[in-house]
């Protein structure tokens, strides 16, 4: 039987892989869902952005517009377009 890894530990390990100065955009499926709730703890981290309501147009828009230097503008435009 495989040992279950705690969701909290998985999220902490994932976020720890990125330096604090890196822009980090996390997209979760449902607001107030268990995965979203784990990432909420990082909202005070510099350059951390949490979006809920995962959908393919949003991801595509974020990826094709990734060259935008202003992350807030990138997110706002992607949300508007999606």
């Amino acid at each position: 039987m495989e040992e279950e890894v705690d969701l909290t530990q998985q999220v902490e390990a994932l976020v720890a892989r990125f330096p604090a100065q890196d822009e980090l955009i996390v997209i979760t499926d449902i607001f107030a869902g268990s995965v979203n709730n784990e990432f909420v703890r990082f909202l005070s981290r510099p350059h951390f952005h949490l979006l809920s309501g995962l959908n393919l147009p949003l991801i595509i828009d974020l990826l094709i517009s990734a060259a935008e230097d202003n992350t807030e503008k990138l997110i706002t435009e992607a949300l508007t377009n999606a």
Side-chain angles (χ1 to χ4, degrees), residues 23-25 47 49 68-76:
E23 292 284 341
L24 187 57
I25 301 172
H47 313 292
H49 311 275
E68 172 63 55
D69 291 333
N70 183 328
T71 305
E72 285 78 18
K73 181 179 177 187
L74 168 74
I75 292 170
T76 301

Side-chain angles (χ1 to χ4, degrees), residues 24-82:
L24 187 57
I25 301 172
V26 175
I27 305 171
T28 62
D29 57 348
I30 300 170
F31 177 73
S34 58
V35 174
N36 186 272
N37 288 341
E38 289 298 329
F39 282 106
V40 164
R41 298 179 300 116
F42 296 95
L43 287 175
S44 62
R45 177 185 162 124
H47 313 292
F48 183 86
H49 311 275
L50 178 59
L51 308 174
S52 62
L54 170 73
N55 64 67
L56 188 56
L58 174 61
I59 293 173
I60 291 171
D61 204 287
L62 286 170
L63 290 174
I64 63 173
S65 302
E68 172 63 55
D69 291 333
N70 183 328
T71 305
E72 285 78 18
K73 181 179 177 187
L74 168 74
I75 292 170
T76 301
E77 289 178 359
L79 288 170
T80 300
N81 295 338

Side-chain angles (χ1 to χ4, degrees), residues 12-27:
E12 287 175 358
L14 178 64
V15 173
R17 291 173 49 192
F18 299 93
Q21 67 270 17
D22 284 1
E23 292 284 341
L24 187 57
I25 301 172
V26 175
I27 305 171

